[in-house]
Amino acid sequence: MLRTHNCGELNINNINQEVILSGWLQKSRDLGGLTFIDLRDRYGITQLAFNMETQSQLCTQARKLGREYVLQIKGVVKERESKNIKIPTGDIEILVSEIEVLNKSKTPPFTIENNTDGGEEIRMKYRYLDLRRNPLKENLMLRNKVGFEVRSYLHNIDFIEIETPYLIKSTPEGARDFVVPSRMNPGTFYALPQSPQTFKQLLMVGGYDRYYQLVKCFRDEDLRADRQPEFTQIDCEMSFVEQDDILAIFEGMTKHLFAAIKNITLSDFPRLPYDEAMRLYGSDKPDIRFGMQFVELNDLTKNKGFNVFDAAELVVGISVPSCASYSRKQLDKLVKFVQRPQLGAKGLVYVKCNEDGSFKSSVDKFYTQDDLQAWANKMGAQAGDLLLILSGETAHTRNALNELRLEMGDRLNLRDNSVFAPLWVVDFPLLEWDEDNNRWHAMHHPFTAPKPEEMSLLETDPGKVHANAYDLVINGVEIGGGSIRIHNREVQEQMFKLLGFTETEAKEQFGFLMDAFEYGAPPHGGIALGFDRLVAMFGGSDSIRDYIAFPKNNSGQDVMISSPSEIADTQLDELSLTVKKTEK
Amino acid sequence: MLRTHNCGELNINNINQEVILSGWLQKSRDLGGLTFIDLRDRYGITQLAFNMETQSQLCTQARKLGREYVLQIKGVVKERESKNIKIPTGDIEILVSEIEVLNKSKTPPFTIENNTDGGEEIRMKYRYLDLRRNPLKENLMLRNKVGFEVRSYLHNIDFIEIETPYLIKSTPEGARDFVVPSRMNPGTFYALPQSPQTFKQLLMVGGYDRYYQLVKCFRDEDLRADRQPEFTQIDCEMSFVEQDDILAIFEGMTKHLFAAIKNITLSDFPRLPYDEAMRLYGSDKPDIRFGMQFVELNDLTKNKGFNVFDAAELVVGISVPSCASYSRKQLDKLVKFVQRPQLGAKGLVYVKCNEDGSFKSSVDKFYTQDDLQAWANKMGAQAGDLLLILSGETAHTRNALNELRLEMGDRLNLRDNSVFAPLWVVDFPLLEWDEDNNRWHAMHHPFTAPKPEEMSLLETDPGKVHANAYDLVINGVEIGGGSIRIHNREVQEQMFKLLGFTETEAKEQFGFLMDAFEYGAPPHGGIALGFDRLVAMFGGSDSIRDYIAFPKNNSGQDVMISSPSEIADTQLDELSLTVKKTEK
């Protein structure tokens, strides 16, 4: 080893030891007679000291070294005169006797500090330098730790990790596949998996009982800030289980992770049916760190002459604590917020519950103080609270009020990153109607089983059928989801038919799975958790990109290695492919 | 759970307990008044008993159930009359009170037994059924265990697992890449990684110090029996290390695995320089479970009138213990063996060291008994041994004798699958000359550093330069290899130039890495182990396919899911691609 110790471990117990350290020059300070260098490695920072009087040559050499030079030094551990209690090595410094420059460094294009001066683009191009910064290093260390704890937990309860293939088959259902042309079979393509769904189900048919895998998945979608074309999933499946068994195991895993990673003991997770979640929060991934649950006011608001409410399918509001004092200007901002095109609410009705027991609302013309009192009562409002009420078509109104609720949560600092409120959303509908294409979509995926007691509705009223499908939601973020699967050929065929597959299409794409169901497929179900998102949540961030060593940008490019790029004509020839010229 | 216990855990301590089991019907036997069913799951087999006299209806039902039906049964644990000491549950059986058929099964296309009647092709098509068989199940369980132990070992010594990207950049050097067309950047392609080599080096530049990853790698090669287009690698890299440090850590890991998996304590691994390995075994991956080292006989064989030896660059033999009694026919077979086109030896000289101290050889015309005695002495042969001697051009002769040595090892049962003989082959040449293309190739890869003390030869005599490159070889199989890397831009540029890259090509393909070397790249090195092969070795097999859940066949196809396959025209359009019609 080119060191006897790392830069994070020496302390008062090592005084007078001769040591060798290797690392990067973080910064140096010349204080006349003394020169100090902070030497950095993955483990920490150790201060090096040089004395101009007693070691003028060495000290002169040290003064010429630039930032990010790679040094190997030999020296003796000494107690510092002025200690730094902020770092573990702050009691000591190394009185250096030899320096070897292991490698030089050009001046980095941005500062390698916790807060850097580098913009996003330059940091992506020099990702290897950005990765030297503490925040990113801690993110990757966290990711490593979460991954290890996930594996330990599952390993200890008899789950086995089984690798499924990456070169699989393209199926047009769902998001777009990335495809891989086959040279040995010209004109044909593999696809990269969007998830190992069918393979894990086949493992259940194969008798493997408790499967897991931390696995890369791929989706060729137009990217948003929190999406990556390749992402990592904690993928799990179990046989001979019911929904409760799966929830218990993965609630256990989540609790284990919080204990191991954050030293937080979580209570049992509430379970909220999908319909309830929509009714109370207008979202299937509610942030329950704070209240402000929706209260429906249709019965109290109708037939008082206010046309907007009278015509509305839904009148629904939230009671915002201690905001009755909001000014006209503040209220106008909220109106603008809900009127943004993304939300598209027509207007916002407010009611101030004044401290003196009176009410002031934007609809005083139509409603008496008693009416408003009745609303306040139903909403459990206190004096000093502000009621915010939206109305209109149910789904749109709920969506807008959900955003407004989150906005108010932010304003009132009720969404604290160090507080964690997990829950299970359960009993999802099996199908959702796609207005644009006039067809049913699988809400989870086509392999999710209808609830057995609702099977008969599948023919008559498919929209009413629920599934034993569940999402794990933490702080308003969907961390994972899963379901009990179909394990019967006839039911799977019926499902494909409902989703608009012809018999030929179903057979061509998923015939192998339906065949497998005829050879003793056990009842089974599973879950997949977004590993990138889970780690980001532990890190207190929304951006998964900061928790991935080498992410792509929003155009799907890796600007560091300049990928994707053109390939040689010989490669195209071998693949029997031609690139079409596009007019631009 | 649809069970209270699994099929492998009940024993004499559970007598009279009421239990619920779920699993597959392995087989059933009707013995007149009694019917027995073996119920199987991942954990084992439990015997179910039905009594025709006392439970005629249930027993009649049981007799109708077919192989591989999925059953859930309720019953009471009873001590067996005739016990089966071969299985952990052999002391008990379940007196069944209720059966539920969870799923039926068609008759499987082959028997689900340790030795099946199914051919390779049908078992690949119904892989999920083949995976139910014990041998494959044990292989996947072994793989899971080895993977977990690898991670535990590395995690405990501060290695962190970091995921590198799968969508990277195509580089024409080395084996063929699989490419992935980019829809968002028409006409450009990602490539799937052949290894995360450059990324792990960038992680070292980023300061991560001890990196590992169990990672899928991809090579679009024409497949051989032991190759797969996607395979798994234990990929590792370390900074501030020298070769000895890396060998020590991964020798430690290998010993840990042997202890944990096979309960075998290995001694320290011998280290054999490449040149020695070639001289003593004619191979850079010698099987050292047995002796028969090569002995060169040039000095003892020349100028005695035997033209073949006189003209040969190399005369080299092995002494095969206790085979002096080989018949003419047996010897002829060996001659045929070395004359096969793959080996292409012209002939084989033998010397029998008779028990009476005399010698009988195929070259008695040219050599006296004293000559042969001298050969036998140099080769350390005993009375009763058989000397086998080849001659000719050095590389070809060594290769042929290597194969002959392995063949003799097989014949003498010296290659026992339960014995493990690891070693390090070290000091590989940096380059090898490619006769066909009249150019240098990197023996390991273009990122391997020349030995510092031989740097000056790089200009004058590059073929003489060695590298701190090493292979881990166990029982004649290359399990892994690695090297100390270049961490300096100038050396890397020089290397690319030697390998025939123009300056532009080098920059275009690996500019990012050479740029990174200018910002304080630490000295670093690493290793990659073939995980599939490592697991197969622990399983005592050569075939990695049996240790992969869903492997491809020799044409790169997954016949179960029918992949690769054609894709929709709309997909091709979105990717701006056309498939060229090939004449067939």
Side-chain angles (χ1 to χ4, degrees):
Chain A
M1 298 273 179
L2 305 183
R3 60 186 174 204
T4 57
H5 296 77
N6 65 49
C7 295
E9 66 179 316
L10 293 171
N11 59 43
I12 208 81
N13 299 316
N14 303 95
I15 297 291
N16 291 328
Q17 280 183 22
E18 188 174 76
V19 298
I20 299 173
L21 300 182
S22 291
W24 286 263
L25 190 156
Q26 174 73 25
K27 63 178 175 199
S28 62
R29 281 153 299 163
D30 289 340
L31 306 178
L34 289 170
T35 290
F36 295 106
I37 286 180
D38 280 352
L39 192 69
R40 183 197 74 232
D41 68 10
R42 183 185 127 191
Y43 309 90
I45 280 182
T46 298
Q47 178 167 295
L48 313 179
F50 302 85
N51 190 319
M52 196 63 188
E53 261 175 59
T54 58
Q55 313 163 285
S56 70
Q57 204 185 341
L58 200 67
C59 195
T60 309
Q61 187 192 353
R63 286 183 181 185
K64 288 183 190 146
L65 303 171
R67 284 190 173 221
E68 301 305 318
Y69 270 48
V70 188
L71 308 179
Q72 184 187 33
I73 63 96
K74 189 186 271 189
V76 173
V77 182
K78 295 288 176 196
E79 189 166 0
R80 279 203 213 181
E81 298 219 347
S82 66
K83 296 183 177 173
N84 178 350
I85 56 163
K86 287 189 200 149
I87 59 173
T89 63
D91 286 348
I92 59 95
E93 63 191 12
I94 313 296
L95 189 61
V96 176
S97 56
E98 284 174 40
I99 308 179
E100 183 174 357
V101 176
L102 296 174
N103 214 344
K104 293 183 183 184
S105 175
K106 296 206 290 194
T107 305
F110 50 86
T111 56
I112 315 287
E113 306 275 359
N114 288 4
N115 292 308
T116 179
D117 56 354
E120 172 87 5
E121 207 176 309
I122 191 99
R123 288 189 290 116
M124 288 286 269
K125 184 168 160 60
Y126 296 91
R127 184 72 172 178
Y128 46 88
L129 296 181
D130 207 20
L131 287 172
R132 285 186 191 163
R133 296 193 308 114
N134 263 327
L136 277 177
K137 188 191 75 182
E138 277 159 21
N139 290 353
L140 293 192
M141 303 281 286
L142 174 66
R143 186 179 179 108
N144 170 62
K145 184 157 191 211
V146 177
F148 193 80
E149 291 293 341
V150 165
R151 286 196 163 91
S152 298
Y153 177 85
L154 294 173
H155 184 84
N156 286 337
I157 52 173
D158 276 339
F159 277 78
I160 61 176
E161 185 161 30
I162 301 177
E163 294 166 60
T164 52
Y166 279 90
L167 296 173
I168 65 165
K169 184 178 174 169
S170 186
T171 54
E173 178 72 358
R176 257 189 228 94
D177 287 321
F178 282 106
V179 297
V180 181
S182 164
R183 178 183 56 85
M184 296 202 347
N185 308 276
T188 66
F189 294 78
Y190 303 98
L192 300 178
Q194 295 186 30
S195 97
Q197 183 63 33
T198 51
F199 288 95
K200 68 176 173 175
Q201 291 192 242
L202 291 176
L203 287 172
M204 295 305 108
V205 177
Y208 286 80
D209 215 57
R210 292 185 161 205
Y211 144 92
Y212 82 100
Q213 187 182 191
L214 267 72
V215 61
K216 274 278 175 79
C217 301
F218 304 85
R219 265 175 223 175
D220 185 12
E221 292 176 303
D222 300 319
L223 302 176
R224 298 196 308 247
D226 62 338
R227 287 273 175 94
Q228 284 281 317
E230 48 177 308
F231 55 97
T232 305
Q233 198 160 287
I234 306 171
D235 194 54
C236 307
E237 197 79 4
M238 303 172 73
S239 293
F240 303 120
V241 289
E242 291 164 302
Q243 170 172 300
D244 274 359
D245 304 314
I246 297 176
L247 299 197
I249 283 194
F250 291 93
E251 184 167 326
M253 183 178 90
T254 310
K255 286 177 177 172
H256 168 78
L257 293 177
F258 271 96
I261 308 287
K262 313 270 319 172
N263 203 19
I264 289 176
T265 307
L266 292 178
S267 332
D268 290 348
F269 302 0
R271 294 182 189 180
L272 198 61
Y274 172 87
D275 293 341
E276 285 281 278
M278 296 310 289
R279 196 174 57 78
L280 292 176
Y281 300 98
S283 166
D284 60 0
K285 38 178 192 280
D287 185 343
I288 60 168
R289 276 175 296 186
F290 63 104
M292 297 192 217
Q293 289 185 346
F294 292 12
V295 178
E296 300 187 354
L297 297 171
N298 290 39
D299 51 345
L300 296 180
T301 56
K302 300 272 177 173
N303 304 318
K304 303 277 178 161
F306 184 44
N307 280 338
V308 175
F309 281 0
D310 285 350
E313 187 183 2
L314 179 69
V315 180
V316 61
I318 55 175
S319 169
V320 186
S322 312
C323 286
S325 56
Y326 259 38
S327 66
R328 182 78 237 164
K329 203 170 149 192
Q330 284 175 303
L331 290 167
D332 282 349
K333 268 200 181 159
L334 295 184
V335 174
K336 287 228 173 79
F337 179 86
V338 298
Q339 287 179 331
R340 286 176 308 152
Q342 305 94 298
L343 301 191
K346 296 220 178 64
L348 170 70
V349 167
Y350 70 84
V351 181
K352 294 180 171 185
C353 306
N354 296 324
E355 296 289 351
D356 64 3
S358 70
F359 299 93
K360 172 79 194 92
S361 85
S362 53
V363 287
D364 283 349
K365 214 158 71 178
F366 303 102
Y367 298 97
T368 65
Q369 289 283 309
D370 282 352
D371 289 335
L372 300 179
Q373 177 74 60
W375 301 4
N377 288 349
K378 187 164 186 197
M379 295 176 77
Q382 310 292 317
D385 292 356
L386 175 69
L387 314 185
L388 297 174
I389 301 163
L390 293 175
S391 63
E393 186 272 327
T394 301
H396 288 143
T397 306
R398 283 178 171 169
N399 180 48
L401 191 59
N402 165 48
E403 295 292 336
L404 182 61
R405 174 179 173 270
L406 295 177
E407 170 70 16
M408 298 315 294
D410 280 335
R411 284 176 183 230
L412 297 176
N413 292 319
L414 299 172
R415 305 182 73 193
D416 181 350
N417 268 354
S418 66
V419 171
F420 297 91
L423 80 156
W424 293 104
V425 178
V426 297
D427 299 340
F428 274 81
L430 183 68
L431 302 163
E432 58 184 342
W433 184 250
D434 176 353
E435 299 272 354
D436 296 341
N437 297 300
N438 214 35
R439 46 167 286 198
W440 292 109
H441 268 303
M443 190 121 179
H444 194 57
H445 57 46
F447 313 105
T448 296
K451 281 194 187 247
E453 64 274 21
E454 295 176 353
M455 272 297 290
S456 60
L457 288 172
L458 218 48
E459 298 266 353
T460 54
D461 194 354
K464 282 268 187 328
V465 179
H466 291 80
N468 283 323
Y470 31 82
D471 276 356
L472 174 60
V473 175
I474 306 181
N475 293 1
V477 177
E478 181 198 325
I479 295 295
S483 62
I484 299 296
R485 326 295 187 187
I486 297 166
H487 65 283
N488 172 292
R489 183 177 190 120
E490 286 70 42
V491 179
Q492 190 66 68
E493 278 175 347
Q494 193 180 2
M495 180 62 110
F496 282 133
K497 204 171 144 193
L498 257 174
L499 296 174
F501 286 67
T502 67
E503 223 171 286
T504 316
E505 283 168 351
K507 223 173 196 167
E508 212 171 82
Q509 292 170 36
F510 298 108
F512 62 96
L513 185 66
M514 293 192 289
D515 288 348
F517 288 168
E518 295 190 295
Y519 290 99
H524 63 285
I527 195 168
L529 309 180
F531 185 57
D532 308 289
R533 199 150 292 167
L534 180 70
V535 176
M537 188 209 56
F538 278 120
S541 166
D542 293 332
S543 161
I544 64 171
R545 199 178 288 182
D546 296 338
Y547 295 81
I548 295 172
F550 299 101
K552 307 278 188 292
N553 71 11
N554 279 350
S555 310
Q557 295 162 332
D558 182 331
V559 295
M560 179 185 70
I561 62 170
S562 306
S563 167
S565 60
E566 291 185 6
I567 59 174
D569 287 342
T570 51
Q571 282 177 289
L572 285 170
D573 283 344
E574 283 195 319
L575 298 170
S576 307
L577 288 180
T578 319
V579 171
K580 272 189 252 180
K581 295 280 172 281
T582 48
E583 300 112 69
K584 274 195 177 170
Chain B
M1 297 272 178
L2 305 183
R3 62 187 173 202
T4 57
H5 296 76
N6 66 50
C7 294
E9 66 179 315
L10 294 170
N11 59 43
I12 208 80
N13 299 316
N14 303 97
I15 296 292
N16 291 329
Q17 279 183 24
E18 188 174 76
V19 298
I20 298 173
L21 300 182
S22 291
W24 286 263
L25 190 155
Q26 175 73 25
K27 65 179 172 200
S28 62
R29 281 153 299 162
D30 290 340
L31 307 177
L34 289 170
T35 290
F36 295 105
I37 286 179
D38 281 353
L39 192 69
R40 184 197 74 232
D41 68 9
R42 183 185 128 191
Y43 308 90
I45 280 182
T46 299
Q47 179 167 294
L48 312 179
F50 302 85
N51 190 320
M52 195 62 187
E53 261 175 60
T54 56
Q55 313 163 286
S56 68
Q57 203 184 344
L58 201 66
C59 194
T60 309
Q61 187 191 354
R63 287 182 180 184
K64 288 183 189 145
L65 303 171
R67 284 190 175 223
E68 301 305 319
Y69 271 47
V70 188
L71 308 179
Q72 184 187 33
I73 62 96
K74 190 186 269 187
V76 174
V77 182
K78 295 288 175 197
E79 189 166 0
R80 279 204 214 180
E81 297 219 348
S82 65
K83 296 184 177 173
N84 178 351
I85 56 164
K86 287 189 200 148
I87 60 172
T89 63
D91 287 348
I92 59 97
E93 63 191 13
I94 313 296
L95 189 62
V96 176
S97 56
E98 285 174 38
I99 308 179
E100 183 172 358
V101 176
L102 295 175
N103 215 343
K104 294 183 180 184
S105 175
K106 296 205 290 194
T107 306
F110 50 85
T111 55
I112 314 287
E113 305 274 359
N114 288 3
N115 291 308
T116 180
D117 56 355
E120 172 87 5
E121 207 175 309
I122 191 97
R123 287 189 291 115
M124 288 286 270
K125 183 168 161 59
Y126 295 92
R127 183 72 172 179
Y128 45 89
L129 296 180
D130 207 20
L131 287 173
R132 284 187 192 163
R133 296 192 308 113
N134 263 327
L136 277 178
K137 188 191 77 183
E138 277 158 21
N139 290 354
L140 293 193
M141 303 280 287
L142 174 67
R143 185 179 180 108
N144 170 61
K145 183 156 192 214
V146 177
F148 194 80
E149 291 295 341
V150 165
R151 286 196 164 91
S152 299
Y153 177 85
L154 293 173
H155 184 85
N156 286 338
I157 52 173
D158 276 339
F159 277 78
I160 62 176
E161 185 161 29
I162 301 177
E163 294 165 60
T164 52
Y166 279 90
L167 297 173
I168 65 164
K169 184 179 176 168
S170 186
T171 54
E173 179 72 359
R176 257 189 227 94
D177 287 321
F178 282 106
V179 297
V180 181
S182 163
R183 179 182 55 85
M184 297 206 340
N185 307 275
T188 65
F189 294 78
Y190 303 98
L192 300 178
Q194 296 186 28
S195 97
Q197 183 62 33
T198 51
F199 287 96
K200 69 176 173 175
Q201 292 192 243
L202 291 176
L203 287 173
M204 294 306 109
V205 178
Y208 286 79
D209 215 54
R210 292 185 161 205
Y211 143 92
Y212 82 101
Q213 188 182 191
L214 268 71
V215 61
K216 275 277 175 77
C217 301
F218 304 85
R219 266 176 220 175
D220 185 10
E221 292 176 303
D222 300 319
L223 302 176
R224 298 195 309 247
D226 61 339
R227 286 273 175 94
Q228 284 281 318
E230 48 177 310
F231 56 97
T232 305
Q233 198 159 288
I234 306 171
D235 194 55
C236 307
E237 197 79 4
M238 303 172 73
S239 293
F240 303 121
V241 289
E242 291 164 302
Q243 170 172 300
D244 274 358
D245 304 312
I246 297 176
L247 299 197
I249 283 194
F250 291 93
E251 184 167 325
M253 184 179 89
T254 310
K255 287 177 177 173
H256 168 79
L257 293 177
F258 272 95
I261 309 288
K262 313 265 328 166
N263 202 18
I264 289 175
T265 306
L266 292 177
S267 334
D268 289 348
F269 301 0
R271 294 183 189 181
L272 198 62
Y274 172 88
D275 293 341
E276 283 283 280
M278 296 309 289
R279 195 173 57 77
L280 293 175
Y281 301 97
S283 167
D284 60 2
K285 37 178 192 280
D287 185 344
I288 61 168
R289 278 175 295 185
F290 63 104
M292 298 193 215
Q293 288 186 347
F294 291 12
V295 178
E296 300 187 356
L297 298 170
N298 290 41
D299 51 346
L300 296 180
T301 55
K302 300 272 177 172
N303 304 318
K304 304 276 177 159
F306 184 45
N307 280 338
V308 175
F309 280 1
D310 284 349
E313 188 183 1
L314 179 69
V315 180
V316 61
I318 55 174
S319 169
V320 185
S322 312
C323 287
S325 56
Y326 259 37
S327 66
R328 181 78 237 166
K329 203 170 147 195
Q330 284 175 305
L331 290 166
D332 281 349
K333 269 201 180 157
L334 295 183
V335 173
K336 287 227 172 79
F337 179 86
V338 298
Q339 285 179 334
R340 286 177 308 150
Q342 304 94 299
L343 302 190
K346 296 222 178 60
L348 171 69
V349 167
Y350 71 84
V351 181
K352 294 179 172 186
C353 307
N354 295 324
E355 296 289 352
D356 65 4
S358 70
F359 298 93
K360 171 79 195 94
S361 85
S362 52
V363 287
D364 283 347
K365 213 157 74 178
F366 304 102
Y367 298 97
T368 65
Q369 290 284 309
D370 282 352
D371 289 335
L372 300 179
Q373 177 75 60
W375 300 3
N377 288 350
K378 186 163 185 198
M379 294 175 77
Q382 311 291 316
D385 291 356
L386 173 69
L387 314 185
L388 297 174
I389 301 164
L390 293 175
S391 64
E393 187 272 327
T394 301
H396 287 142
T397 306
R398 282 178 172 169
N399 179 49
L401 191 61
N402 166 48
E403 296 292 337
L404 183 61
R405 174 179 173 270
L406 295 175
E407 170 70 16
M408 299 314 294
D410 281 334
R411 285 178 182 230
L412 297 175
N413 293 319
L414 299 172
R415 304 182 74 192
D416 180 350
N417 269 353
S418 65
V419 172
F420 297 92
L423 79 155
W424 292 104
V425 178
V426 298
D427 298 340
F428 274 80
L430 183 67
L431 301 164
E432 59 185 342
W433 185 250
D434 174 353
E435 299 273 355
D436 297 340
N437 298 299
N438 214 33
R439 46 166 288 197
W440 293 109
H441 267 303
M443 190 121 179
H444 192 59
H445 57 47
F447 313 106
T448 295
K451 281 194 186 249
E453 63 274 21
E454 295 176 352
M455 271 297 289
S456 60
L457 290 172
L458 218 48
E459 299 265 353
T460 54
D461 194 355
K464 282 268 187 326
V465 179
H466 290 80
N468 283 322
Y470 32 82
D471 276 356
L472 174 61
V473 175
I474 306 181
N475 293 1
V477 177
E478 181 198 325
I479 295 295
S483 62
I484 298 297
R485 325 296 186 186
I486 297 165
H487 65 282
N488 171 292
R489 183 177 190 120
E490 285 70 41
V491 179
Q492 189 66 67
E493 278 175 348
Q494 193 180 0
M495 180 63 107
F496 282 133
K497 204 171 147 192
L498 258 175
L499 297 174
F501 286 66
T502 66
E503 222 170 287
T504 316
E505 283 167 352
K507 224 176 196 166
E508 212 171 81
Q509 291 170 37
F510 299 108
F512 63 96
L513 185 66
M514 294 193 287
D515 288 348
F517 287 169
E518 295 190 294
Y519 290 99
H524 62 285
I527 194 168
L529 309 179
F531 185 57
D532 308 289
R533 198 151 292 167
L534 181 70
V535 177
M537 188 210 56
F538 278 119
S541 166
D542 293 332
S543 162
I544 64 171
R545 200 179 289 183
D546 296 337
Y547 295 81
I548 294 172
F550 299 102
K552 307 277 188 292
N553 71 12
N554 279 351
S555 311
Q557 293 162 333
D558 182 331
V559 294
M560 178 183 72
I561 62 170
S562 307
S563 166
S565 61
E566 292 185 6
I567 59 174
D569 288 342
T570 51
Q571 282 177 289
L572 285 170
D573 283 345
E574 284 196 319
L575 298 170
S576 307
L577 289 179
T578 319
V579 172
K580 272 189 252 181
K581 295 280 170 282
T582 49
E583 299 113 72
K584 274 197 177 170

